[in-house]
Amino acid sequence: SPPKYNAQFMALGAGSGGPLEIEPNTVSSHKGTFVLPAPTILHNFQPHMHYRGKGQMLEAVYPSGRREVVNFMDRFDNTWNVNYVYDPDYAPIFPKGTVLTVTSWFDNTAANPNNPDPNQFVTSGQRTVDEMAHLNEQMIYLTQEDYEAIVAAREVRDVQTTDQ
């Protein structure tokens, strides 16, 4: 039988909704946000930048206002595009209305050994000499009922694990 839910791809971060601009000879950061339209499980964490990419962080801002760092990677290397796939039993799960924020750091200076030309003004684009600032995410949208059941089951599991 087919699975109950499917994973939907999303390029989550800066540059997808507007221009990404990186000044010459600077270290900079750029943010992109997305409000979850339904309860969601994240399947993976895959940073995507090009030559000037330095690091990325995924944060969740819950409807209650609580903030949580979900993932942080500070040694990006464009020659290694690593996809971190979560264990399904521990994959991050978020309620509807959670704001996912992706912060991307870039090093457009001569100190970056991968930088082809620190004197260039860099914008977003498909070429490797251009830049991108997103996470290649697979998101699984849930019903509210299934979200609540998964959260409750994880709470029981975590209590049992702590008590042993």
Side-chain angles (χ1 to χ4, degrees):
S1 69
K4 185 173 184 179
Y5 295 106
N6 64 349
Q8 299 180 20
F9 172 80
M10 174 173 283
L12 176 64
S16 55
L20 173 65
E21 299 174 341
I22 303 169
E23 298 282 336
N25 298 297
T26 62
V27 173
S28 62
S29 66
H30 302 267
K31 289 186 185 251
T33 60
F34 180 72
V35 180
L36 294 174
T40 305
I41 295 177
L42 289 187
H43 177 263
N44 67 305
F45 173 77
Q46 184 182 33
H48 187 84
M49 297 178 285
H50 291 166
Y51 287 129
R52 294 160 181 92
K54 185 174 179 168
Q56 281 189 317
M57 178 173 61
L58 175 62
E59 289 180 281
V61 181
Y62 293 88
S64 67
R66 181 174 70 88
R67 297 181 76 96
E68 175 182 35
V69 173
V70 180
N71 286 98
F72 176 74
M73 181 274 306
D74 66 350
R75 290 176 288 187
F76 183 79
D77 183 340
N78 189 48
T79 62
W80 289 91
N81 285 281
V82 179
N83 186 16
Y84 303 92
V85 178
Y86 301 114
D87 178 319
D89 292 333
Y90 294 90
I93 185 169
F94 305 106
K96 175 182 178 178
T98 299
V99 178
L100 296 181
T101 302
V102 178
T103 305
S104 302
W105 289 272
F106 296 93
D107 184 350
N108 192 16
T109 70
N112 176 354
N114 296 322
N115 191 348
D117 185 354
N119 296 313
Q120 288 294 313
F121 184 88
V122 181
T123 60
S124 57
Q126 297 294 320
R127 304 175 310 161
T128 307
V129 293
D130 300 325
E131 267 306 338
M132 292 187 172
H134 63 266
L135 300 173
N136 291 323
E137 292 291 326
Q138 297 289 331
M139 304 169 97
I140 303 165
Y141 295 122
L142 306 169
T143 64
Q144 183 65 29
E145 181 180 280
D146 285 350
Y147 167 79
E148 290 171 7
I150 292 168
V151 168
R154 286 183 178 189
E155 287 173 356
V156 168
R157 175 200 65 204
D158 294 345
V159 167
Q160 290 173 344
T161 303
T162 305
D163 289 343
Q164 293 179 8

